[in-house]
Amino acid sequence: MKSNLPVDATRIAQDIEALSEITEPGRPWTRRAFSPLFLEGRAYVERRMKDAGLETHIDHAGNLIGRRPGRKGVGTLMLGSHSDTVPEGGRFDGIAGLIAALEVARSLSDRGIELDHDLEVVDFLAEEVSPFGVSCIGSRGMTGQRPQAWLERMADGRTLADGIAEVGGDVTTATARDDIKGFLELHIEQGTVLEREGINIGVVTAISGITRIEIIIEGRADHAGTTTMPFRKDALVAASEIVLAIRETGLELSKTPGHFTATVGEFAIEPNAANVVPSRVRMLIDARAEFAGDMELFSAQVERIATQTAERWGVTIAAPERISHVVATPCDAGLLDILEQTAGRSGITHRRMASGAGHDTGWIAKVAPAAMIFVPCKDGRSHSADEWAETNDIALGTAVLFEAVQEMDRRLSEES
């Protein structure tokens, strides 16, 4: 590891370790949004923000913000991620980026570096899917993109609006931020590209779009022992062929420029009895694409696969239905340039890549310049208890953030 980094790797490791200890007993690393443990973790983060000289508050959307005033008050540069976790698997996902942002603020103060812009370190509320069944609640709320209907969603006898109030927010005072001049987020890759290629930093070009497509196959229930093989209308056999065809289609699209994945993640069979030929299957496809054109090609191919499979097996397949569709969000070209130049000057290896997962950056990027960097994680594991990232890798990424935020500040000041 480089010995002359402008950030303190020891502090980073200590904070990540301290947060990892705030978890449900026997369920590492579980600290879900809106839980007492989440509030305990937040209290720790807020103490560390105050130790760094940051002014802290909870905004209307329930985000914890540590603010470092700038010399000129000409807008806000923002860094951050999230402190909530998925069940049994979130030691670094979100936490690494949040602590990296905090370390940038501390390192600026250590060196007496003042920015023209205000600097905010943000712990976004509920980036992961929350007990209310929705995610990125804080970043959507901050930017005016949280659906009003969400506030009435129920969990544990309370509405989402109640939950936001319990963490210190106030949805009745909601106003969308319009002062954000730039946002950066560090995150573990949650994949194997950086580790496999031996590269320090991933410069994220876009947050891939996510489309979910439902397919329902209607066959015919028959006796498994007496109905001869040629005369069956087996919904599961047809569904199996579709699953394999979706994988092959996804593999072909993944060979083109840009990120693409396709997964059948939900699958239900009826009547689900050992001695009955399956009569109905429902499956849900999760497809993710960096480029909208790839998603349209995939959707068209899914329709063809469904039609051909229905004809071949004598089953009925309704037109595949898009249950949800979120287009890809590109990161800001100017910030990508700053990140690449910063890494290059420091001799830190880097490559461009898209994110296949969703992040708060995707919502901030819809209203302000935003970008991300990835750092390697062991074996690409994430959302599991085995999730791990080396402190040295996180520190290198934090060093890039440290230099990049100063370059952002300088360029924006020159433009204004």
Side-chain angles (χ1 to χ4, degrees):
M1 177 177 174
K2 294 177 179 294
S3 59
N4 59 341
L5 291 180
V7 298
D8 189 328
T10 300
R11 282 192 301 213
I12 293 171
Q14 288 173 342
D15 284 334
I16 291 175
E17 179 62 25
L19 281 172
S20 76
E21 293 174 358
I22 304 173
T23 182
E24 293 183 18
R27 296 186 75 198
W29 317 92
T30 304
R31 193 172 54 256
R32 298 197 72 190
F34 302 103
S35 70
L37 283 172
F38 171 72
L39 293 176
E40 185 179 340
R42 272 232 165 145
Y44 174 85
V45 174
E46 184 171 21
R47 288 195 301 273
R48 298 298 281 155
M49 285 179 170
K50 290 180 176 179
D51 290 344
L54 302 180
E55 304 166 357
T56 65
H57 73 282
I58 306 290
D59 72 1
H60 65 85
N63 301 303
L64 170 62
I65 299 175
R67 178 175 174 271
R68 186 176 189 262
R71 290 177 296 198
K72 298 182 178 180
V74 289
T76 303
L77 302 182
M78 189 176 285
L79 306 174
S81 196
H82 61 97
S83 65
D84 67 311
T85 77
V86 299
E88 301 183 34
R91 190 170 188 177
F92 296 90
D93 177 354
I95 287 79
L98 176 60
I99 299 306
L102 175 60
E103 179 58 25
V104 169
R106 290 188 292 219
S107 297
L108 289 170
S109 295
D110 288 346
R111 288 158 178 75
I113 298 171
E114 294 186 35
L115 304 177
D116 289 338
H117 296 77
D118 296 342
L119 178 68
E120 289 186 354
V121 175
V122 183
D123 175 15
F124 290 105
L125 176 64
E127 191 269 357
E128 304 290 3
V129 177
S130 69
F132 297 95
V134 291
S135 59
C136 293
I137 293 171
S139 52
R140 294 192 201 208
M142 174 186 282
T143 55
Q145 300 177 85
R146 184 193 60 223
Q148 184 67 21
W150 279 16
L151 297 176
E152 300 305 316
R153 296 180 71 92
M154 297 291 297
D156 303 321
R158 56 184 172 172
T159 65
L160 175 56
D162 295 332
I164 292 172
E166 289 173 10
V167 302
D170 183 359
V171 298
T172 66
T173 62
T175 54
R177 293 282 295 266
D178 61 4
D179 62 313
I180 305 170
K181 303 301 181 182
F183 172 78
L184 295 175
E185 179 178 8
L186 178 147
H187 206 280
I188 60 171
E189 181 194 346
Q190 301 177 285
T192 62
V193 174
L194 297 176
E195 182 182 59
R196 189 172 64 246
E197 297 183 2
I199 293 175
N200 301 131
I201 297 294
V203 178
V204 179
T205 55
I207 313 301
S208 294
I210 304 175
T211 297
R212 294 198 168 100
I213 303 172
E214 182 184 66
I215 299 178
I216 296 177
I217 302 105
E218 299 282 358
R220 187 182 66 205
D222 281 305
H223 195 293
T226 61
T227 307
T228 56
M229 301 301 289
F231 298 101
R232 299 182 177 203
K233 294 184 178 181
D234 190 326
L236 181 56
V237 169
S240 301
E241 185 170 286
I242 290 173
V243 171
L244 292 173
I246 287 168
R247 172 175 167 78
E248 290 304 313
T249 303
L251 280 171
E252 288 304 310
L253 285 169
S254 71
K255 296 174 184 177
T256 63
H259 181 82
F260 189 89
T261 61
T263 307
V264 177
E266 288 189 21
F267 196 92
I269 176 177
E270 296 177 12
N272 200 28
N275 60 348
V276 181
V277 175
S279 61
R280 188 178 190 271
V281 170
R282 174 191 173 272
M283 65 176 70
L284 191 63
I285 305 166
D286 177 301
R288 306 194 180 207
E290 181 178 358
F291 301 125
D294 287 343
M295 188 63 76
E296 295 309 314
L297 285 173
F298 176 76
S299 297
Q301 182 65 6
V302 168
E303 291 184 7
R304 285 192 291 271
I305 291 168
T307 299
Q308 293 167 0
T309 304
E311 293 174 353
R312 181 157 39 252
W313 295 103
V315 297
T316 300
I317 303 178
E321 180 183 357
R322 282 190 178 185
I323 301 300
S324 63
H325 178 61
V326 178
V327 299
T329 303
C331 292
D332 182 77
L335 294 185
L336 295 180
D337 178 63
I338 287 175
L339 291 171
E340 288 185 320
Q341 289 186 17
T342 298
R345 285 195 299 267
S346 302
I348 296 172
T349 58
H350 58 279
R351 60 159 290 173
R352 290 197 171 203
M353 60 192 305
S355 172
H359 300 282
D360 289 309
T361 296
W363 297 98
I364 304 298
K366 295 180 188 298
V367 301
M372 294 185 76
I373 61 172
F374 283 161
V375 297
C377 58
K378 182 175 174 55
D379 298 327
R381 301 296 304 280
S382 184
H383 285 194
S384 78
D386 296 327
E387 183 180 272
W388 181 262
E390 295 292 340
T391 299
N392 291 358
D393 293 329
I394 299 171
L396 278 178
T398 306
V400 172
L401 287 187
F402 175 82
E403 300 293 347
V405 75
Q406 294 176 75
E407 182 65 14
M408 288 167 58
D409 182 63
R410 183 186 65 78
R411 291 192 188 186
L412 287 167
S413 295
E414 290 176 352
E415 294 170 2
S416 62

